[in-house]
Every structure is written in structure tokens, then in C-alpha cells.
Amino acid sequence: MSAGSIGASELRTQIAMTLPMTSSGRQLEVVRCDAEFVLYRVREPDAAEPRLALVPASAQPGAASLGRLGHEYALRDELDPQWAVRPLELVRWDSRPVLLLADPGGEPLDGLLGHPMEAARFLRVASALAAALAQPLLDAREALRGH
């Protein structure tokens, strides 16, 4: 499946239908998708908060996709939830690998690209982005001072 050969909404529909639903009552909302991965917002009936699920778009993902999920999960202890989406678990749903992540809310930045944005919203996004990018640098600087 190639993202360039079909429209984004068609790709979302095709990908969303490839992940089997279980009898758990799990609700999935596509947040972002491309030819390699689908990012879902997941609502489970027994969970207080939604989580994110990063799932390979292919029913039979390649070694690179599986390696990326494993690598992102391995970084979980290095990521501060103040500036990063933290991986929680690497699991399987209906034999599909799934990386579960904390859901801080919001939307991916790439969804904001390609069309005009009002100035107030732009400034809110720019300010939040600058703070998120600055925090790891400030943390590293404090760590260096402590040594």
C-alpha cells in the first residue's frame, strides 16, 4: 500500500479496517497514519484514560518496522512525559505488534501543516513546541552542572 497512490482519507479507511476488533469493546480512533504505521487513540471500557497505540500498517510488518517499535519501547526510561510521549507497553493484539503509549491529548503537528493557521493558534503551538524542545536541553544542562 502506498500513501502516494491514494488519498489520505482512503488510506485511513483501509488501514483502520486491517486491525481486527476484539470483543473487548475497545474503541479506536485514527490519529495519524502513513504507509508504515497507524497511530490510534484507544479507549478501553475498563480504563480511566485513553492511550495511544502505534501499529504497523501492514498485517505482516517487516523487520525494520518491528525494530522501530522495539527501539521506541527501549527508550521509555529516557523520555520525560513533560516533553515526550512515553511508551508504556509492547504487546500483541490479535497477533499484531502494538506499542502502547501514554496519551497526552492533542494532535500530531503534521495535521496542522499545509493550510493557513490563525495567528493566536500559531503562537500557542509555537510556544508549546519551543518549550517541549527546550526542556531536554535544560535537563541536560542541569545534569552537567551537577557533575
Side-chain angles (χ1 to χ4, degrees):
M1 171 181 341
S2 169
S5 63
I6 62 174
S9 64
E10 293 172 43
L11 180 63
R12 280 186 185 191
T13 300
Q14 285 182 9
I15 290 172
M17 291 189 306
T18 66
L19 186 64
M21 295 301 293
T22 64
S23 60
S24 68
R26 178 181 299 135
Q27 295 179 355
L28 304 175
E29 171 193 346
V30 176
V31 175
R32 180 183 184 282
C33 66
D34 59 34
E36 187 178 10
F37 289 101
V38 183
L39 181 65
Y40 292 97
R41 180 160 283 122
V42 181
R43 290 177 176 81
E44 304 264 7
D46 58 344
E49 300 290 326
R51 294 183 290 176
L52 297 174
L54 187 63
V55 182
S58 171
Q60 297 177 341
S65 295
L66 295 174
R68 182 171 166 199
L69 289 177
H71 179 72
E72 289 189 31
Y73 180 68
L75 293 173
R76 70 190 174 283
D77 294 332
E78 307 298 320
L79 300 174
D80 183 336
Q82 293 292 342
W83 53 265
V85 175
R86 279 194 83 229
L88 301 172
E89 294 181 80
L90 190 53
V91 299
R92 289 196 170 273
W93 286 350
D94 300 325
S95 76
R96 301 275 299 271
V98 177
L99 180 61
L100 295 174
L101 306 127
D103 184 0
E107 61 186 286
L109 286 175
D110 63 351
L112 301 176
L113 302 176
H115 54 280
M117 188 183 306
E118 62 182 55
R121 185 168 189 203
F122 172 80
L123 292 173
R124 282 192 306 273
V125 169
S127 176
L129 183 57
L133 293 173
Q135 191 59 51
L137 298 173
L138 293 173
D139 291 346
R141 190 170 109 187
E142 287 178 26
L144 289 173
R145 285 185 178 173
H147 284 94

